[in-house]
């Protein structure tokens, strides 16, 4: 890999965004176990992600973006998942795209867009979004952080928990209550990290995605100008719905790419590892697991492609989004565990990198709405 990276791709995306990060595999995959063990955000690798142009894909060219589509962004993230063995870095990149840039582009004022989008698109401004609270996780719309109007400002009080990228973020998008209880009393504000009254907690240790920092954030009499509101007062639920659809499509496209890589790796091992005078892939106990893994990857691909196309076309995709999230996140957990079993003792060793996949996969059935909540959603949309 050359040490001189090509120029940033900011003018029109490649024919297939899947290949965007492939040339950077060596840099992205350097010392992944060590970074994971230290649970540190890999700043040098972030610069590689920046140079690749990945973060620019879904944004309009007038803000420095590539003008890509929703499905193009999914392809780009799938390609990152296929290329990059640091799932935490991928998760932070996916959060960067969806947390502030996507809602700002869709709902923000021209003033906020021209001020902040160029830095978000390059990745110079790191972003996070804060929905979950200590008392409101699955019950996400029951937000209790309040924003009270005071002249030209709002005064925000409360706290958020599990905020991906918060420890490194320059900008945070806050979902807060400005009105009555329920989904239509919510509004969204863009705040800068150095706003007086905002406190970002220390990074929290966690099982997987360890290079993606996460923390709590609290607000005490934090004064925010009304011009920092994204969309109308009370539009928080509408914005959250727009964002969550894309969060699921983007971050689980990344997961699909990771599953593609796992499948290739497992096939390679099953062909090369010999026991009883034959490659272990010749034993049905192993080959059927791999066949199931292939089915899981292709099922994930079909759900993502179909749901992505529906969302892009503006069709109702409420059940599809929930189903896609369940299918991909649960397939990721299952196939990660099967990969450990197929690799045997090697799979259990940190250095092989397969056990890290299991730890990384567990979070997928929790973040962006747990599997239980997604099933509740489908059941309720079926009238149950
Ligand atoms: C890696 C990671 C990254 C995250 N990043 C962010 C972020 O950037 N921003 C952000 O705002 N949040 C983030 N979150 C928070 C995430 O959205 C919440 O953890 C999630 O919504 C679940 O909330 P909770 O953890 O409070 O669990 P709880 O809501 O307390 O749920 C605990 C258990 O009870 C189950 N349960 C709850 N209610 C029901 C019900 N009605 N029916 C059946 N089962 C139920 C849940 O499914 C779960 O199994 C992140 C979480 C993780 C793990």
């Amino acid at each position: 890999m050359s040490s001189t990276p090509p120029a940033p791709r900011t003018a029109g995306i490649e024919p297939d965004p899947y290949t965007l990060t492939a040339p950077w595999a060596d840099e992205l995959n350097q010392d992944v176990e060590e970074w994971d063990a230290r649970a540190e955000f890999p700043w040098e690798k972030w610069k590689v992600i920046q140079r690749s142009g990945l973060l620019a894909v879904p944004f309009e060219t007038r803000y420095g973006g590539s003008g890509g589509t929703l499905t193009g962004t999914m392809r780009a993230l799938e390609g990152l998942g296929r290329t990059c063995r640091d799932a935490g870095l991928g998760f932070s990149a996916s959060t960067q795209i969806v947390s502030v840039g996507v809602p700002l582009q869709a709902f923000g004022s021209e003033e906020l867009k021209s001020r902040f989008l160029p830095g978000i698109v390059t990745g110079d401004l790191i972003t996070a979004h804060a929905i979950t609270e200590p008392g409101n996780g699955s019950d996400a719309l029951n937000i209790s952080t309040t924003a009270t109007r005071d002249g030209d400002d709002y005064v925000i009080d409360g706290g958020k928990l599990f905020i991906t990228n918060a420890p490194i973020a320059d900008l945070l998008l806050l979902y807060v209550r400005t009105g009555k209880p329920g989904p239509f009393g919510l509004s969204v504000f863009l705040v800068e990290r150095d706003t007086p009254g905002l406190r970002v907690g220390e990074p929290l240790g966690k099982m997987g995605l360890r290079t993606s920092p996460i923390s709590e954030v609290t607000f005490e009499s934090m004064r925010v100008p009304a011009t920092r509101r994204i969309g109308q007062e009370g539009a928080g639920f509408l914005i959250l719905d727009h964002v969550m659809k894309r969060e699921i499509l983007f971050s689980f496209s990344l997961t699909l790419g990771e599953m593609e890589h796992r499948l290739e790796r497992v096939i390679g091992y099953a062909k090369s590892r010999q026991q009883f005078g034959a490659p272990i892939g010749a034993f049905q106990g192993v080959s059927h697991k791999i066949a199931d893994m292939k089915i899981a990857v292709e099922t994930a691909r079909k759900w993502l492609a179909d749901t992505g196309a529906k969302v892009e076309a503006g069709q109702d995709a409420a059940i599809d989004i929930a189903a896609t999230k369940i299918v991909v996140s649960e397939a990721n957990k299952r196939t990660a565990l099967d990969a450990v079993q197929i690799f045997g003792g090697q799979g259990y060793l940190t250095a092989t990198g397969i056990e890290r996949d299991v730890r990384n996969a567990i979070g997928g059935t929790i973040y962006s709405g747990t599997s239980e909540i997604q099933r509740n959603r489908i059941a309720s949309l079926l009238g149950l």
Side-chain angles (χ1 to χ4, degrees):
M1 182 76 225
S2 146
S3 58
T4 339
R9 297 171 193 178
T10 51
I13 54 170
E14 299 291 296
D16 186 355
Y18 185 79
T19 60
L20 210 49
T21 47
W24 310 92
D26 291 349
E27 284 93 333
L28 292 172
N29 294 328
Q30 220 167 32
D31 303 326
V32 175
E33 292 128 57
E34 287 79 359
W35 284 99
D36 182 72
R38 290 198 302 271
E40 266 177 39
F41 182 70
W43 283 104
E44 287 305 314
K45 295 184 186 189
W46 182 254
K47 288 182 192 152
V48 172
I49 297 272
Q50 288 183 273
R51 286 200 293 268
S52 75
L54 175 99
L55 303 172
V57 173
F59 299 107
E60 292 171 32
T61 49
R62 65 191 158 129
Y63 303 114
S66 307
T69 59
L70 182 148
T71 44
T73 310
M74 291 169 66
R75 274 299 276 172
L77 283 158
E78 182 189 343
L80 177 66
R82 169 69 188 78
T83 296
C84 177
R85 303 282 51 80
D86 184 342
L89 178 66
F91 190 65
S92 277
S94 173
T95 301
Q96 166 78 12
I97 289 173
V98 84
S99 58
V100 178
V102 161
L104 181 58
Q105 177 162 272
F107 301 99
S109 67
E110 193 46 53
E111 186 202 336
L112 290 181
K113 287 200 262 194
S114 41
R115 175 153 175 204
F116 292 112
L117 270 177
I120 294 171
V121 165
T122 57
D124 289 334
L125 290 177
I126 296 190
T127 65
H129 59 175
I131 305 131
T132 309
E133 301 180 339
N136 300 299
S138 296
D139 194 6
L141 298 177
N142 196 21
I143 283 169
S144 63
T145 297
T146 54
T148 312
R149 187 83 193 220
D150 182 24
D152 290 339
D153 298 337
Y154 284 84
V155 179
I156 301 185
D157 285 284
K160 301 285 180 177
L161 185 60
F162 300 129
I163 309 309
T164 297
N165 287 353
I168 52 168
D170 302 287
L171 297 172
L172 291 107
L173 204 73
L174 310 184
Y175 291 78
V176 300
R177 187 161 301 286
T178 46
K180 56 183 189 307
F184 301 108
L186 301 176
S187 302
V188 179
F189 291 88
L190 179 60
V191 296
E192 284 164 280
R193 187 198 188 81
D194 57 3
T195 308
L198 187 152
R199 194 186 68 81
V200 176
E202 288 297 309
L204 301 166
K206 58 188 181 336
M207 174 192 247
L209 304 173
R210 287 163 57 84
T211 54
S212 173
I214 197 168
S215 72
E216 74 172 326
V217 187
T218 54
F219 325 104
E220 217 181 296
S221 304
M222 182 177 73
R223 196 164 272 278
V224 177
T227 50
R228 289 300 174 87
R229 203 184 57 227
I230 306 285
Q232 295 298 310
E233 198 176 284
F237 175 57
L238 176 79
I239 297 173
L240 186 61
D241 183 58
H242 180 90
V243 167
M244 287 314 295
K245 283 185 179 124
R246 284 152 185 83
E247 173 166 302
I248 288 172
L249 291 171
F250 293 167
S251 75
F252 289 96
S253 292
L254 181 75
T255 300
L256 170 62
E258 290 161 1
M259 286 168 56
E260 287 165 7
H261 176 267
R262 179 178 307 140
L263 176 64
E264 283 168 28
R265 217 179 148 190
V266 159
I267 292 172
Y269 192 71
K271 285 181 174 168
S272 64
R273 172 68 177 164
Q274 301 266 333
Q275 287 295 286
F276 303 99
I280 58 168
F283 307 128
Q284 206 174 62
V286 172
S287 65
H288 281 192
K289 277 193 186 63
I290 298 176
D292 284 343
M293 210 179 269
K294 172 70 176 165
I295 295 169
V297 169
E298 298 311 326
T299 308
R301 189 191 311 288
K302 286 180 168 65
W303 271 100
L304 280 161
D306 191 61
T307 306
K310 273 190 174 169
V311 172
E312 198 161 62
Q315 294 168 7
D316 175 22
I319 289 185
D320 309 66
I321 284 283
T324 302
K325 209 251 154 180
I326 293 170
V327 166
V328 188
S329 62
E330 295 186 354
N332 192 33
K333 257 161 78 163
R334 213 170 45 244
T335 58
L337 275 171
D338 279 349
V340 171
Q341 193 66 19
I342 292 166
F343 269 73
Q346 291 295 336
Y348 202 67
L349 298 182
T350 312
T352 314
I354 298 281
E355 61 83 39
R356 196 174 60 243
D357 272 18
V358 177
R359 291 187 285 104
N360 291 335
I362 302 290
T365 56
I366 300 173
Y367 56 73
S368 310
T370 66
S371 285
E372 292 79 10
I373 294 302
Q374 302 299 346
R375 286 190 168 83
N376 286 354
R377 187 121 208 267
I378 294 172
S380 116
L381 288 163
L382 293 174
L384 300 169

